[in-house]
């Protein structure tokens, strides 16, 4: 647990690396709405730490900053294996951030807003009396892209090439110990929770639950009225159940799949997800424009 800094390392940047890796992930949670607005003592309180109308753009901006922490940490360590791990991590994160951005752009085009709370609200209710109005049914391709790119962003199995113990010892955090190493490890697991929250938010209704409306449950001709506070609490519980489910799914993939080769990793990103994401954005834009034209 000793806080060890190798000889010849830049001590300031060595300490700055873990902070720049962890901080952007944590502040991204600020714009994630975990529930609907609730009235407390005559005041309307949004269950969202930072209420901004460009939340989707904020997510892309904050996630992109995390690359600097990994790159600086590996470079400042004065270790060739740490530097190689940092180069791998930087290339991997930038590559898959492009695919992730394309998936989020498709969602923004579909719902017509950058406001995350509004995206949640548009996924309320059901189609045909039984099918939830969730984004997964509108953007299944974007869901696959965001899930895969998000797992690659977390740099864990099967995308743990920046670490690659058998090749790089521990990659970009080889020369880290104590709390600084813990910060790097915590970053990876915080990213797992963040990806689960984004999948829930964009594709599975966020805090929305089928047949649960502002005044209670409505199933066909049957209705059960509930206090507004109870409805909001049920929405928060639904949100976290979905998040835990996606965390479990990502851990299950880690248990199941072996590590990719680096050429396979980059081929999947640049020749698979990025072209697929571009095609999905183009098709989505065409469908939305055509639908708006027909509505007029």
């Amino acid at each position: 647990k000793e806080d060890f800094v190798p000889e010849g390392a830049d001590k300031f940047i060595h300490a700055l690396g873990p902070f720049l890796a962890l901080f952007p992930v944590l502040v991204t949670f600020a714009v994630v709405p975990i529930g609907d607005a609730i009235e407390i003592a005559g005041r309307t309180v949004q269950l969202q730490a930072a209420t901004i109308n460009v939340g989707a753009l904020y997510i892309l901006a904050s996630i992109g900053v995390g690359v600097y922490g990994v790159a600086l940490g590996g470079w400042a360590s004065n270790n060739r294996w740490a530097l190689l791990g940092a180069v791998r991590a930087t290339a991997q994160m930038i590559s898959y951030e492009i695919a992730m951005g394309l998936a989020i752009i498709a969602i923004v085009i579909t719902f017509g807003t950058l406001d995350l709370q509004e995206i949640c609200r548009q996924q309320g209710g059901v189609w045909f009396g039984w099918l939830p109005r969730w984004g997964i049914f509108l953007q299944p391709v974007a869901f696959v892209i965001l899930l895969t790119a998000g797992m690659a962003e977390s740099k864990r199995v099967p995308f743990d090439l920046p670490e690659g113990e058998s090749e790089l010892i521990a990659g970009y955090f080889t020369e880290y110990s104590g709390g600084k190493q813990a910060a790097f490890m915590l970053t990876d697991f915080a990213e797992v929770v963040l990806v689960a929250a984004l999948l829930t938010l964009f594709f599975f209704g966020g805090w929305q639950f089928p047949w649960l409306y502002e005044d209670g449950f409505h199933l066909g001709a049957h209705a059960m009225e509930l206090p507004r506070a109870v409805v909001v609490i049920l929405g928060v519980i639904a949100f976290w159940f979905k998040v835990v489910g996606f965390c479990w799914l990502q851990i299950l993939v880690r248990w199941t799949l072996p590590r990719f080769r680096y050429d396979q990793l980059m081929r999947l990103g640049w020749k698979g997800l990025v072209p697929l994401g571009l095609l999905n954005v183009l098709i989505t834009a065409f469908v939305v424009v055509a639908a708006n034209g027909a509505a007029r």
Side-chain angles (χ1 to χ4, degrees):
K1 297 181 176 65
E2 178 187 0
D3 184 13
F4 175 78
V5 180
E7 184 178 354
D10 187 309
K11 293 184 178 181
F12 174 74
I13 299 181
H14 187 268
L16 184 64
F19 171 79
L20 286 179
L22 179 59
F23 180 74
V25 179
L26 296 182
V27 298
T28 304
F29 283 100
V31 297
V32 176
I34 65 171
D36 199 0
I38 187 171
E39 188 170 314
I40 301 176
R43 296 181 58 187
T44 300
V45 178
Q46 299 286 345
L47 296 184
Q48 185 181 13
T51 306
I52 58 178
N53 58 6
V54 289
L57 185 61
Y58 174 88
I59 288 174
L60 292 174
S62 59
I63 290 177
V65 177
V67 176
Y68 291 100
V70 173
L72 291 176
W75 177 81
S77 295
N78 194 30
N79 181 300
R80 70 184 68 181
W81 309 116
L83 180 59
L84 286 173
V87 172
R88 279 188 178 186
T90 303
Q92 176 175 326
M93 293 173 72
I94 292 174
S95 301
Y96 282 86
E97 278 172 12
I98 296 174
M100 180 182 292
L102 290 171
I104 293 177
I105 288 172
I107 286 292
V108 170
I109 294 174
T110 300
F111 292 105
T113 179
L114 290 164
D115 189 334
L116 302 183
Q117 192 71 281
E118 180 61 26
I119 290 176
C120 277
R121 292 195 174 102
Q122 290 190 35
Q123 295 179 73
V126 293
W127 287 307
F128 316 116
W130 59 273
L131 184 66
R133 298 171 60 94
W134 289 349
I136 181 66
F137 301 111
L138 298 172
Q139 285 290 341
V141 175
F143 169 75
V144 174
I145 294 173
L146 186 59
L147 174 61
T148 307
M151 292 183 63
E153 281 288 301
S154 67
K155 305 180 292 299
R156 308 306 299 167
V157 180
F159 300 101
D160 62 334
L161 274 300
E163 185 174 335
E165 301 97 326
S166 58
E167 305 166 34
L168 301 175
I169 308 175
Y172 58 91
F173 57 86
T174 295
E175 297 290 358
Y176 280 89
S177 59
K180 295 175 184 175
Q181 183 190 9
F184 271 127
M185 298 300 293
L186 181 60
T187 299
D188 294 346
F189 287 100
E191 286 174 342
V192 170
V193 182
L194 178 60
V195 170
L198 295 182
L199 292 172
T200 298
L201 171 65
F202 290 133
F203 302 102
F204 285 83
W207 43 264
Q208 296 277 9
F209 189 78
W211 308 289
L212 180 64
Y213 296 88
E214 291 186 358
D215 57 348
F217 281 101
H218 292 264
L219 182 57
H222 304 282
M224 182 176 65
E225 293 187 2
L226 294 171
R228 173 63 177 166
V230 174
V231 172
V232 173
I233 292 172
L234 289 175
V236 173
I237 293 173
F239 175 83
W240 285 112
F241 262 101
K242 296 173 189 176
V243 169
V244 170
F246 280 115
C247 288
W248 172 83
L249 175 62
Q250 293 177 76
I251 299 298
L252 183 64
V253 171
R254 293 185 189 182
W255 293 341
T256 307
L257 298 179
R259 180 187 302 149
F260 289 130
R261 295 196 316 266
Y262 195 72
D263 62 309
Q264 294 173 328
L265 174 81
M266 300 306 286
R267 187 182 305 118
L268 174 63
W270 287 105
K271 293 187 177 181
L273 297 184
V274 171
L276 184 61
L278 285 170
L279 180 62
N280 185 53
V281 168
L282 290 174
I283 293 175
T284 300
F286 176 79
V287 171
V288 169
V289 170
N292 290 339
R296 293 173 184 174

